[in-house]
Amino acid sequence: MPPPADIVKVAIEWPGANAQLIEMDQKRPLSSIIREVCDGWSLSGAEQFALRYADGPQLYITEQSRGDIKNGTILRLAISPARAARQLLERIQSHSIDARLEALKELAKLSADPTFAAEYINMEGIGTLARLVESGTHFGEMLAFTLTAFLELMDHGIVSWDLISISFIKQIAGYVNQPMVDVSILQRSLAILESMVLNSHSLYHRVAQEITVGQLIGHLQVSNQEIQTYAIALINALFLKAPEDRRQVGRCATSGFCIIREMASTLAQKHLRSIILNHVIRGNRPIKAEMAHQLYVLQVLTFNLLEERMMTKMDPNDQAQRDIIFELRRIAFDGESDPTGTEKRKATYTKDYKMLGFTNHVNPAMDFTQTPPGMLALDNMLYLAKVHQDTYIRIVLENSSREDKHECPFGRCAIELTRTLCEILQVGELPNEGCNDYHPMFFTHDRAWEEFFCVCIQLLNKTWKEMRATSEDFNKVMQVVREQITRALAMKPSSIDQLKNKLRGLNYSEILRLRQSERMSQDDLHSPPIIELRERILPEILELIKQQRLNRLCEGSCFRKLGNRRRQEKFWFCRLSLNHKVLHYGDLDESPQGEVPFELLSDKIPVSDIKSVLTGKDCPHMKEKSALKQNKEVLELAFSVLYDPDETLNFVAPNKYEYCIWTDGLCALLGREMGSDLTRSDLDTLISMEMKLRLLDLENITIPEAPPPVPKEPSSYNFTYNYS
C-alpha cells in the first residue's frame, strides 16, 4: 500500500551528527517538525532553527514552500533566517578583517533567499552595506562580496532605490571610472548603476553626472564579453530612461533644421558604433544571448531617434523646408535653364515636380504632411540626392523618359518606402524584452539608416521595371519590395554591400518562384472531397494536438524572470507532473540543458486549484510592469495561471511556439477549448498532412463510406510541425 500523499520521506543533516531519516507529515506545523528534529539531537531553543535544502540554492523552507519537498530530499537543519541575519550583521561590524570577510561571503550567498533578505533588510542591513561602500576602505574580494550582497538584496524590491545616497553613487561610479579595477567589482558596479537608472527617475541625473558614455566606451574595448555586456546595458539604460527634455529635438531658429539629439551626438562623437563593430561584433568570441539582446536594444533606441522626424509634418508655408524641395529639383534638372517669366517658371516647376514623382505637382510640400513618414521621407530623399547624386539623377531621368503609365514616381515611392522601412524596423516602438534580433550591418556605417534607404529605393526602381508596372500596380510593387527586404534582412547580412548581394538574388522572378514553391507545399482545401475528409479527421487531429501539448508540458520549459534588468541571467522552470495533477516550478541559476528533475523545482500548484488561464493585458504582471514591458510583443507572449486562494503564477513565453504550447496545454488540462490563434494554422497543416496520407490510398480521390477508425493512441501519428 503506497504511503499517504501528505507524508514525504526525507533526510535531515546537522554538522557532526548522523543524519535523521524521518517521515515528514505535511499537515503538521513546520515548527513542530523542527522541534522534533532538535530533540533528536538534544538541541535546545528549537525556535532558533529552520530547515534548508542541502543542495542547490539551499533556500529556507517555509510554510508556503514546504509543499515542494519530494521523497528522498536531503534537508539541513540551520539557524533561523532572523538569527542568521542578526549574527551576520554583528560579524560584518566586527573589527576582525577575516571575520568580516567570511561574514560578507556568507551574506552574498544568503541574500538570494527572499526569507533571509526580508529579515536582514528589516534590521537595516542595507544601510550597513552602503556605509561600508561609502567608507572606501574595502577593496578586492571583500568589496566584491559587499557589492554582490547589496545587489541581491535590492533585487528583491523590498527597498526603494530612491533611498541611495549621493556619496554611495559617487563611490560606485568611481570604481567604474578607475583605469584598473578588479573585474568582479567592475561588473557589480556597472550592474548597480544600471539598476539605479532603470528603477529610479530621481537617480538618473545623479548617475548621469558621474558617468558619461565616453567613460563607458573604454570598457567596450576589453576582451571580457561580460564587461562589454554590462557596459552596453548601462549605455542603453541611460539612453532609454533619458528625460524627455534630453531626448527631444530642438529646432534651429535660422535654418529650421532639427539639431541632433544630445545622446545621438554623444554616441557619434565617441565613435561608439565603430568600437562596438570592431571589438564586439567582429571580435574573436561568439556573441552570447545577453550581448545580442543589448545590441538589439541599442539598435532599436538608435532608430527611435528618427521618430521625431517621422512624426513631424511639413509646413507648406515654411520657406526653409520648401527650399529642400527646390534643392531636389535643382540637382535633378540643373542642366536646364530656367525661363525668365514668373508664369513660365511656375509652369516649368510644375512639370519638374511631376517628373520628380510628387502627387501634388503644384505644391509638393503637401505630400509630406502625412505622418508617418512625415519629414523623414524628405530627409532620405535629400541624402540620396546629395550623397549618391548620380544614382538620384539616373532614377529621376530614367523614369521621366518612360511612358506616363509606366513611369515609377520617385517622390511617391520614396515616401511610401520610408513608411515601409519604419514599419519593418519598428521605428518608435520600445525594445522587446528577451528579443535578440539585431542586424550587424546597421553597425557598419555612421549613416546606416540613410544608406539602407538608398539601397532599397534602387531595389524598388528595379522591381518596378521587372514587373512592368503601371501606376495602378503601385501597391502590388510595394508588397513585393517589402517581401524582398524582409527576406534579405532575415539572412542577417553583415554589411550594406552584402545586403545588396542578397537583394540581387531576390529579384521579382525569384520572389514569384518562392511564392509558387510555398503555395505548392499547401493542398487545395476547398474541393468538396477534401472538405468532407477534413471534417471527419478533425476530432482526431484535435486530440493529437491536445496530447502533444500535454506531453510538452510534462517535459517543461524555461522562462526568463520578467523585469530582471541585471546582467546576471535569472531563470525559472515549470513542468507538469506525469500524472497531470501538479504544476512544479522553481528558480534556476542558468538556462538548463534538457529537462529539469522534479526534485530541483521547489514550488508546486495542484491542478485542481487552478481557476483560470489569463492572457495578454488581462495578466496581473502586465498591469504592474513599466512601459518597457508593455509593448506589443511581450503582451502577446504573456499569460498567467490563476489559482486558489487568489494567487497567480505569471509567465512570459520566450517565443510564440512556447506560448501556444502552454496556453493550449493549460486549457486542455482544464478541459476547455484550446484557444491560441496559432493552433488554427497548425491545425490546417496537420489536417493537410493527414489528408496526404489517406488520399494516397483512395482511388479517384473519393471518400470512404465509413469514417476511418480512431486510433487508441493518437500519438501514434508521427507528425512533425513547427511554428517558425
Side-chain angles (χ1 to χ4, degrees):
M1 182 176 178
D6 293 323
I7 302 297
V8 290
K9 297 181 179 181
V10 299
I12 302 180
E13 299 177 337
W14 175 255
N18 294 327
Q20 295 187 37
L21 302 179
I22 70 169
E23 292 186 353
M24 180 183 290
D25 186 351
Q26 296 287 49
K27 293 182 178 179
R28 290 179 58 193
L30 195 58
S31 58
S32 175
I33 296 174
I34 294 173
R35 184 178 299 106
E36 182 180 305
V37 171
C38 290
D39 291 341
W41 284 313
S42 301
L43 298 174
S44 60
E47 65 278 359
Q48 297 294 321
F49 292 93
L51 293 177
R52 289 169 57 183
Y53 288 98
D55 301 319
Q58 301 182 10
L59 299 176
Y60 279 101
I61 295 170
T62 64
E63 289 289 355
Q64 291 73 30
S65 64
R66 62 183 296 183
D68 302 318
I69 302 174
K70 307 295 188 301
N71 279 319
T73 302
I74 300 177
L75 305 179
R76 178 175 298 157
L77 185 66
I79 60 175
S80 66
R83 185 179 173 188
R86 189 180 307 107
Q87 289 183 359
L88 285 176
L89 191 58
E90 292 173 355
R91 290 164 57 193
I92 289 172
Q93 296 170 332
S94 167
H95 295 293
S96 171
I97 300 297
D98 293 338
R100 191 181 302 173
L101 176 60
E102 289 302 315
L104 288 170
K105 187 183 299 185
E106 181 70 13
L107 178 62
K109 181 173 67 174
L110 285 177
S111 294
D113 187 298
T115 306
F116 170 85
E119 295 289 349
Y120 188 82
I121 290 172
N122 287 338
M123 298 177 185
E124 300 184 358
I126 286 185
T128 301
L129 295 179
R131 286 190 291 273
L132 290 177
V133 174
E134 293 169 6
S135 67
T137 57
H138 287 61
F139 305 97
E141 195 177 26
M142 186 175 293
L143 177 59
F145 286 128
T146 303
L147 296 178
T148 301
F150 178 86
L151 195 54
E152 289 285 357
L153 292 168
M154 294 298 295
D155 193 46
H156 292 289
I158 301 174
V159 179
S160 171
W161 284 89
D162 291 326
L163 301 177
I164 302 301
S165 67
I166 297 178
S167 59
F168 181 87
I169 297 174
K170 289 181 178 293
Q171 195 66 42
I172 296 296
Y175 300 137
V176 174
N177 295 333
Q178 287 180 13
M180 297 294 293
V181 67
D182 185 81
V183 170
S184 59
I185 295 174
L186 179 58
Q187 287 179 347
R188 288 155 180 79
S189 298
L190 289 168
I192 289 173
L193 290 174
E194 182 199 3
S195 294
M196 288 180 185
V197 172
L198 292 175
N199 292 286
S200 173
H201 295 290
S202 63
L203 292 184
Y204 177 91
H205 291 288
R206 298 177 183 178
V207 174
Q209 289 172 359
E210 303 295 332
I211 296 292
T212 65
V213 174
Q215 292 166 328
L216 294 173
I217 282 179
H219 298 304
L220 298 177
Q221 303 179 56
V222 300
S223 58
N224 188 319
Q225 189 173 125
E226 288 190 5
I227 293 296
Q228 293 175 326
T229 305
Y230 280 89
I232 295 180
L234 180 52
I235 291 173
N236 287 337
L238 290 168
F239 203 165
L240 180 66
K241 294 297 183 178
E244 288 300 318
D245 58 339
R246 290 172 62 92
R247 290 188 288 169
Q248 289 297 326
V249 173
R251 193 177 292 274
C252 179
T254 56
S255 65
F257 291 110
C258 291
I259 64 173
I260 300 176
R261 289 178 176 83
E262 179 181 344
M263 181 61 74
S265 176
T266 302
L267 300 185
Q269 291 171 4
K270 301 300 181 179
H271 309 294
L272 177 65
R273 177 200 59 77
S274 61
I275 291 174
I276 290 177
L277 178 66
N278 295 323
H279 293 274
V280 178
I281 296 177
R282 293 178 178 173
N284 297 324
R285 302 167 304 282
I287 302 295
K288 296 181 180 179
E290 185 58 33
M291 172 62 83
H293 173 67
Q294 294 302 334
L295 291 174
Y296 155 77
V297 172
L298 182 60
Q299 172 186 291
V300 171
L301 296 177
T302 302
F303 282 141
N304 282 356
L305 293 173
L306 304 169
E307 182 183 10
E308 188 75 18
R309 293 293 281 174
M310 180 183 74
M311 300 307 295
T312 299
K313 297 181 180 181
M314 186 172 186
D315 182 0
N317 299 319
D318 190 323
Q319 185 60 42
Q321 295 181 3
R322 295 174 62 186
D323 286 343
I324 302 176
I325 299 178
F326 295 156
E327 182 69 3
L328 291 174
R329 180 207 158 276
R330 185 195 65 77
I331 295 174
F333 309 111
D334 188 47
E336 301 179 12
S337 58
D338 290 339
T340 56
T342 302
E343 293 300 323
K344 290 183 178 180
R345 188 184 303 115
K346 289 182 178 179
T348 302
Y349 283 6
T350 300
K351 177 184 176 183
D352 290 346
Y353 292 145
K354 183 177 184 299
M355 294 172 65
L356 279 171
F358 289 112
T359 303
N360 192 316
H361 306 154
V362 178
N363 186 6
M366 299 301 298
D367 287 15
F368 301 95
T369 56
Q370 184 176 356
T371 59
M375 291 292 288
L376 184 60
L378 188 59
D379 295 342
N380 287 340
M381 296 166 69
L382 184 62
Y383 180 88
L384 174 68
K386 287 192 171 183
V387 179
H388 300 278
Q389 187 168 320
D390 291 342
T391 300
Y392 168 71
I393 294 174
R394 175 178 56 80
I395 291 175
V396 173
L397 296 183
E398 184 180 273
N399 284 288
S400 63
S401 62
R402 295 179 186 171
E403 299 179 37
D404 286 348
K405 66 176 184 177
H406 285 291
E407 66 179 5
C408 177
F410 169 73
R412 182 185 177 191
C413 287
I415 293 171
E416 187 58 34
L417 177 63
T418 301
R419 188 197 333 272
T420 299
L421 297 183
C422 289
E423 292 173 357
I424 292 174
L425 296 177
Q426 299 180 327
V427 175
E429 296 187 17
L430 288 169
N432 292 318
E433 180 74 14
C435 181
N436 301 335
D437 189 24
Y438 81 97
H439 296 281
M441 74 171 184
F442 290 126
F443 292 88
T444 62
H445 200 285
D446 288 329
R447 303 295 295 273
W449 166 264
E450 290 85 351
E451 289 295 320
F452 183 46
F453 168 83
C454 293
V455 171
C456 293
I457 193 67
Q458 295 178 73
L459 169 71
L460 195 158
N461 189 59
K462 176 173 171 286
T463 302
W464 186 283
K465 289 188 292 184
E466 291 173 349
M467 294 179 65
R468 299 178 181 178
T470 64
S471 57
E472 287 78 12
D473 301 318
F474 183 85
N475 292 332
K476 294 180 182 178
V477 175
M478 291 306 304
Q479 291 174 3
V480 173
V481 170
R482 175 189 282 268
E483 185 173 347
Q484 290 171 312
I485 295 171
T486 53
R487 287 181 183 271
L489 288 177
M491 301 177 191
K492 298 292 182 182
S494 59
S495 65
I496 297 294
D497 289 337
Q498 196 173 105
L499 173 68
K500 295 177 182 178
N501 293 333
K502 301 293 184 186
L503 290 174
R504 289 192 193 101
L506 289 171
N507 54 33
Y508 180 54
S509 299
E510 178 64 10
I511 293 296
L512 291 179
R513 188 193 69 77
L514 291 172
R515 287 179 174 179
Q516 182 67 18
S517 175
E518 292 168 357
R519 277 197 297 267
M520 290 294 291
S521 65
Q522 301 175 358
D523 287 327
D524 181 7
L525 301 180
H526 301 293
S527 60
I530 296 297
I531 293 175
E532 185 174 348
L533 181 56
R534 174 192 174 96
E535 292 175 352
R536 287 185 178 182
I537 65 176
L538 178 61
E540 297 177 38
I541 300 299
L542 284 173
E543 181 63 22
L544 173 63
I545 293 178
K546 175 182 176 181
Q547 294 301 321
Q548 187 265 354
R549 299 291 197 260
L550 293 176
N551 290 340
R552 278 287 290 109
L553 262 62
C554 291
E555 296 174 9
S557 299
C558 181
F559 302 90
R560 277 185 64 176
K561 281 206 168 184
L562 184 65
N564 174 43
R565 299 303 303 163
R566 292 165 48 192
R567 301 284 62 76
Q568 295 125 322
E569 286 282 8
K570 295 292 183 182
F571 302 91
W572 68 288
F573 197 89
C574 187
R575 63 181 298 194
L576 179 66
S577 63
L578 299 181
N579 61 6
H580 298 177
K581 292 184 177 181
V582 180
L583 274 180
H584 297 268
Y585 65 97
D587 293 339
L588 300 175
D589 291 331
E590 57 184 16
S591 182
Q593 301 297 324
E595 291 186 7
V596 176
F598 289 108
E599 292 76 15
L600 297 181
L601 303 177
S602 57
D603 300 296
K604 67 180 180 181
I605 300 172
V607 171
S608 58
D609 289 348
I610 298 178
K611 296 179 179 179
S612 63
V613 178
L614 307 176
T615 59
K617 62 183 180 181
D618 295 329
C619 298
H621 57 311
M622 289 296 100
K623 298 176 182 178
E624 299 171 357
K625 297 301 175 182
S626 64
L628 177 61
K629 308 296 187 302
Q630 293 175 342
N631 54 67
K632 181 179 178 182
E633 181 168 328
V634 173
L635 283 173
E636 291 177 348
L637 298 178
F639 61 99
S640 298
V641 172
L642 180 63
Y643 63 97
D644 288 330
D646 296 328
E647 299 287 341
T648 58
L649 183 62
N650 299 316
F651 300 76
V652 173
N655 49 54
K656 198 70 176 178
Y657 171 76
E658 291 291 338
Y659 173 85
C660 182
I661 287 290
W662 278 86
T663 53
D664 277 352
L666 290 169
C667 288
L669 195 62
L670 300 178
R672 300 167 188 172
E673 181 181 355
M674 296 180 293
S676 72
D677 294 336
L678 217 50
T679 301
R680 303 280 79 82
S681 172
D682 295 328
L683 188 60
D684 290 340
T685 302
L686 284 173
I687 291 176
S688 176
M689 295 170 66
E690 175 71 348
M691 284 178 179
K692 288 180 182 178
L693 296 176
R694 295 193 179 186
L695 292 178
L696 289 175
D697 298 329
L698 302 178
E699 294 183 2
N700 301 322
I701 317 184
T702 56
I703 303 298
E705 293 298 328
V710 178
K712 296 180 180 179
E713 295 290 338
S715 58
S716 62
Y717 290 106
N718 188 21
F719 293 127
T720 301
Y721 57 98
N722 58 57
Y723 297 87
S724 57

